[in-house]
Amino acid sequence: SDVYKRQYQRRVRGGQEVRNMVCSIRRLIHQTPRRLLSTNRSSIFLGFDSSTQGLKASAVNADGELVGSAAVNYDVDLPEFGTSGGAIKGADDQVTTPSIMLVKALDTLLDRLKADHQFEFKQVKAISGSGQQHGSVYWKAGARRMLNELASDRSLAAQLEKCFAIPDGPIWMDSSTGMQCKILEAAIGGAQETANLTGSRAYERFTGTQIMKRCGWSEYEQTERVSLVSSFMCSLLQGDYSPIDHSDAGGMNIMNIRSKLWDPRVLELLGEGSASKLGAPVPSHKVVGKLHRYFVERYGFGPSCELVAWSGDNPCSVAGLGLGSGEAAVSMGTSDTFFGITDT
């Protein structure tokens, strides 16, 4: 189909990760309040893509022209974490990523943008991004205070290194939760009922079963907040816990896709206090807050720069491609994904 050809051509020209980043920017510009878009023609919009293998950023002006970019490859630029393809493969089908590595990647990327003396941080009006889906991060009790009180004379990684109850969070390649999938589907009434409720039958990589696996761990008892990679990266920029957006929440096996609220039956399986640890999901176009003063003081961003909720990489691809009802696309990269839009 023409849609497939266009998608394939995009991959050939730049790769899945670059496409996700561009789609994030298109989504950002589309969702940015008109009062920001109409300020002046020198306005800049910054989009990130936190993928399996690295972190990328690209900035465009109000005319859609590229005015800045930077990238960090986890294996090459952050070898101290010992990842292969951005991940650590353990026993029993466990695959994780060090949460602090994602923090250090943001430090490194912004430092590279700063080294480009042509990049005008103060002109950035809004920021958003995409994250690899199904990865989760477990913030330790007290981490919110550390986020709120970030000091601009030290790196993010130096200040947040001890903020994770579970230092290495599971990502989409993890398939160690087969037993939890069976328990979840049994509690909901089978695979089809689970799909009707949450959008998918129970999958090993989805965050619901990953939390179930950790429920009862002392480390999970110490967890103050569970973020997806998308909301985690946004939290770093906000200096507070950013919410999970509806779209990425749809890939967790926790949210009722009709009410867009966490389902009580699933929450019960995740343990006491799980609703508080997840926070309430929000619309994907929501402005979640302002950029933390840390970035204003350290890099020169404007104090009024706003943050639009981040989402998953595949939902951002759908938004960026502008797919309509009955259209589909194929994403070929670290994983291959087929997605489309239906009437229901």
Side-chain angles (χ1 to χ4, degrees), residues 120-147:
E120 299 181 272
F121 286 96
K122 66 180 180 297
Q123 296 297 333
V124 177
K125 302 303 179 184
I127 300 172
S128 190
S130 63
Q132 57 165 301
Q133 289 190 270
H134 315 304
S136 50
V137 175
Y138 299 79
W139 294 96
K140 184 186 295 185
R144 186 174 200 170
R145 177 179 58 82
M146 296 296 292
L147 277 170

Side-chain angles (χ1 to χ4, degrees), residues 19 95 123 145 185 214 218 226 243 258 281 288 299 322 337:
R19 175 184 48 74
V95 186
Q123 296 297 333
R145 177 179 58 82
E185 289 186 349
R214 290 157 177 78
S218 60
V226 178
R258 290 167 179 79
V288 297
Y299 296 103
T337 307

Side-chain angles (χ1 to χ4, degrees), residues 192-209:
Q192 186 59 56
E193 286 303 312
T194 303
N196 292 342
L197 177 71
T198 71
S200 302
R201 63 167 301 166
Y203 282 105
E204 288 87 349
R205 64 184 180 274
F206 279 25
T207 319
T209 54

Side-chain angles (χ1 to χ4, degrees), residues 55-188:
L55 177 67
K56 281 80 59 181
S58 189
V60 299
N61 60 23
D63 293 321
E65 299 168 332
L66 185 69
V67 295
S69 63
V72 173
N73 180 282
Y74 301 141
D75 295 358
V76 175
D77 297 314
L78 303 173
E80 63 269 31
F81 295 103
T83 58
S84 176
I88 296 174
K89 296 181 181 179
D92 302 319
D93 300 317
Q94 297 182 84
V95 186
T96 60
T97 287
S99 299
I100 192 64
M101 181 181 74
L102 305 182
V103 180
K104 193 166 184 180
L106 182 58
D107 279 329
T108 305
L109 186 144
L110 289 175
D111 286 345
R112 288 179 176 176
L113 272 180
K114 187 176 181 179
D116 177 5
H117 300 294
Q118 302 297 317
F119 187 72
E120 299 181 272
F121 286 96
K122 66 180 180 297
Q123 296 297 333
V124 177
K125 302 303 179 184
I127 300 172
S128 190
S130 63
Q132 57 165 301
Q133 289 190 270
H134 315 304
S136 50
V137 175
Y138 299 79
W139 294 96
K140 184 186 295 185
R144 186 174 200 170
R145 177 179 58 82
M146 296 296 292
L147 277 170
N148 292 165
E149 298 175 358
L150 288 169
S152 61
D153 60 343
R154 301 172 63 204
S155 69
L156 293 172
Q159 298 178 74
L160 301 177
E161 185 176 8
K162 299 186 183 301
C163 284
F164 306 105
I166 301 172
D168 294 355
I171 62 170
W172 63 271
M173 289 187 281
D174 188 289
S175 57
S176 65
T177 61
M179 179 179 69
Q180 287 76 19
C181 288
K182 294 178 182 179
I183 294 172
L184 175 59
E185 289 186 349
I188 302 302

